[in-house]
Amino acid sequence: MSIKFDVRTSPQAWTQAAADIVCQTVRDNERPVLVLPTGGTPVPMYAELVRRYRAGEISFQKVTSFNLDEYVGLERSHPESYYSFMHRNFFDAVDVPAENIHLPDGRSAHPDEACAAYNAMLDEVGAVDLAVLGIGHNGHIGFNEPGADPAGRTHCETLSLQTRQANARFFEDDLDKVPTHALTMGLGDILKAKKILLLANGEAKAAIIRKAFQGPVTREVPCSLLQNHPNVVVLLDEGAASLLEKA
Ligand code: GLP
């Protein structure tokens, strides 16, 4: 197993470490291809990347990005669409060319066609240099819920009640407002990335971090499949690392 745990003791150090890995990938590759996450966890990382861009320390002009997932049925202009999230937190403030930004089209009346189109774009770009991931409380990555096909590609996923409850905080705590489906890159797409950075913070993630990385590899815990990937950094704060057994 080539998982590297990196446990940081301050939020600032954690944020710097996340931004460092993204910037390193951007600098090391002529045409860097990134897979990017949403959720609460990566927000400080995006803020730090924006800060570095504004300070002239990094440019994202050569970057091509693919977001992991998008809700089905939300207009792009909805404040909680991942399209809005990404533009608000990152794209509007940096220099990734608009034509290089990709998110699955959750508004499409034909989700299967939207997924096929996304897969075609992924195929066209070839290898992903870095996939940055968060983790759901049930071990989902992107929106690949427990049981998802380990070789799967971009598809429409039915969101579990637990996932919708966790995300209700973004929808005025009203479960009825949380979409029931999402388009997500598949585990097969994610696992093909050359490098993976998994981000988690806080004690609420401690149990799933232990299960994912020190438990059996099983499709019931999608994140556990990362144990078979050759190049994974798991960046944690002390809370999220608190249940890991020391090696
Ligand atoms: C969402 C996203 C995931 C994300 C996860 C954790 O459902 N689809 O990509 O990793 O939830 O989110 P948070 O960082 O807010 O805990």
Side-chain angles (χ1 to χ4, degrees), residues 7 41 128 134 141 235 243:
V7 182
T41 309
V128 169
I141 47 179
L235 180 60
L243 294 179

Side-chain angles (χ1 to χ4, degrees), residues 143-160:
F143 266 131
N144 291 281
E145 296 281 33
D149 178 0
R153 304 217 58 199
T154 311
H155 63 283
C156 183
E157 188 87 16
T158 303
L159 302 182
S160 69

